[in-house]
Amino acid sequence: MPPTDNSVGIRMIKDFSLSSLIAGFVAVLVGFTSSVALIFQATQNLGATPDQTASWLWGLGVGIGVSSIGLSWATKQPVMIAWSTAGAAVIATAAAKGGITMGEAVGAFMVSAVLIVLCGVTGWFERIMNRLPLALAAALLAGVLSRFALDAFAAIPSNPMLVLGMFAAYLTGRVFWPRFNVPIILLFGILIAMFQGGFHFESVPWKITRPVLLGPEFSWRATIGIAIPLFVVTMASQNLPGISIFMAHGFKPPVSKIIGWSGFANLLVAPFGGYALNLAAITAAFCLGPEAHPDPKKRYPSAMFAGLFYGLIGIFGATIAGLFAAF
């Protein structure tokens, strides 16, 4: 007998947990704060107005939110979509050279999205991933995460109390409360930062973002200077390690469907500034690991929560940017 809507809803409610909510929040917190400056730099180099910059966050946030929630619910796997950090760097660099208008950039975003859709529809990318040994996937995961982990120690001289305090909380939590280690580390870090007077909420703007439709213009210089490099770095530095991280955690995602949908969603939000949507790489580890939930079958809500938080970033772009800047 097929499951009823009520049974599906009850199952989803049972699968939700506080640890999955915290895992989704931490994933978004890390992903947003570590790369949003590149997005602001890209929009600045393109001569965007404040409203257009907020619209970029709207397009990215809404596109990521809908995709993460929809794909995670459909596959019952923690499919976390994100924006391309490397892609933002490509756009900022190309725009800094001058001559490329906002319309041409939007046109380039759409060309890149179409190429990503083709990779998903044709199955080219999945055939490559099926030939990737699991040991190599694990090595890619280690390479992605090692620099991220080592950078924490590099921050010790700037704020030893905060970094060493959170590291001590991590070591203690691994022994006594491994499931809730991440939220406790975050809470401990917040308390230290508050003690140091590090939070500044007084300048946060409180308003809803209004999306701005940016008409696309297609040109060869934008296609060669932005679209092709954006496509390459999104697939190589985001989707490839993203799938590798999935495989390293024992999941078998429907690669072609995920890639195809992310490209299609990218195409829809590109006219509002959504330059590139792809699988999360570094931050996906928060949603894929046992910290999200001990049972792998109940980790998918963490990516749905991440999608919810990204959607809030889009809807309240300027406000959320200010709040995350405070963190």
Side-chain angles (χ1 to χ4, degrees):
M1 182 176 180
T4 63
D5 291 342
N6 287 337
S7 64
V8 172
I10 292 173
R11 177 194 167 184
M12 289 188 64
I13 292 174
K14 290 183 176 179
D15 288 347
F16 279 55
S17 63
L18 177 62
S19 59
S20 63
L21 185 150
I22 297 296
F25 175 75
V26 172
V28 176
L29 177 64
V30 173
F32 184 90
T33 55
S34 63
S35 60
V36 72
L38 283 173
I39 295 177
F40 291 151
Q41 186 64 53
T43 57
Q44 181 180 348
N45 291 351
L46 286 169
T49 65
D51 287 342
Q52 290 174 335
T53 299
S55 182
W56 276 46
L57 290 179
W58 183 91
L60 292 167
V62 171
I64 291 170
V66 172
S67 299
S68 296
I69 293 172
L71 288 170
S72 297
W73 180 83
T75 63
K76 296 300 183 290
Q77 297 186 47
V79 182
M80 182 176 168
I81 303 298
W83 58 57
S84 173
T85 302
V90 166
I91 299 167
T93 302
K97 297 177 181 179
I100 296 180
T101 66
M102 179 65 75
E104 287 178 310
V106 170
F109 303 163
M110 298 180 72
V111 171
S112 175
V114 169
L115 293 175
I116 294 174
V117 170
L118 288 176
C119 282
V121 171
T122 60
W124 294 338
F125 189 71
E126 184 166 10
R127 285 195 287 272
I128 294 174
M129 293 304 305
N130 286 338
R131 289 170 171 77
L132 186 68
L134 183 59
L136 182 57
L140 284 171
L141 171 60
V144 169
L145 295 180
S146 60
R147 184 185 64 82
F148 179 73
L150 292 173
D151 282 349
F153 293 95
I156 291 177
S158 62
N159 196 332
M161 178 183 288
L162 179 63
V163 179
L164 293 177
M166 294 180 72
F167 183 58
Y170 163 77
L171 294 177
T172 304
R174 292 293 293 178
V175 177
F176 296 104
W177 44 78
R179 181 179 177 184
F180 298 101
N181 201 15
V182 171
I184 289 175
I185 294 169
L186 176 63
L187 177 61
F188 197 72
I190 290 174
L191 292 175
I192 295 176
M194 291 178 65
F195 175 77
Q196 294 178 328
F199 284 104
H200 303 282
F201 295 108
E202 61 276 0
S203 60
V204 176
W206 303 95
K207 61 180 180 180
I208 295 177
T209 301
R210 293 184 179 181
V212 178
L213 183 63
L214 307 168
E217 299 174 15
F218 300 95
S219 68
W220 282 111
R221 64 176 180 176
T223 299
I224 296 173
I226 294 181
I228 302 302
L230 180 61
F231 165 72
V232 171
V233 299
T234 298
M235 298 301 293
S237 68
Q238 297 282 169
N239 283 328
L240 180 59
I243 293 295
S244 300
I245 289 174
F246 252 95
M247 295 170 59
H249 282 84
F251 291 94
K252 295 182 179 179
V255 178
S256 294
K257 291 181 180 179
I258 292 173
I259 298 301
W261 171 258
S262 67
F264 178 69
N266 187 178
L267 186 62
L268 294 179
V269 298
F272 301 97
Y275 65 90
L277 304 185
N278 46 250
L279 273 167
I282 293 175
T283 52
F286 291 105
C287 298
L288 291 164
E291 291 81 6
H293 200 284
D295 185 354
K297 295 181 180 180
K298 295 183 179 181
R299 293 176 190 168
Y300 71 93
S302 61
M304 297 179 70
F305 279 123
L308 174 63
F309 289 123
Y310 268 117
L312 291 175
I313 287 176
I315 296 173
F316 301 96
T319 301
I320 299 298
L323 290 173
F324 274 80
F327 275 86

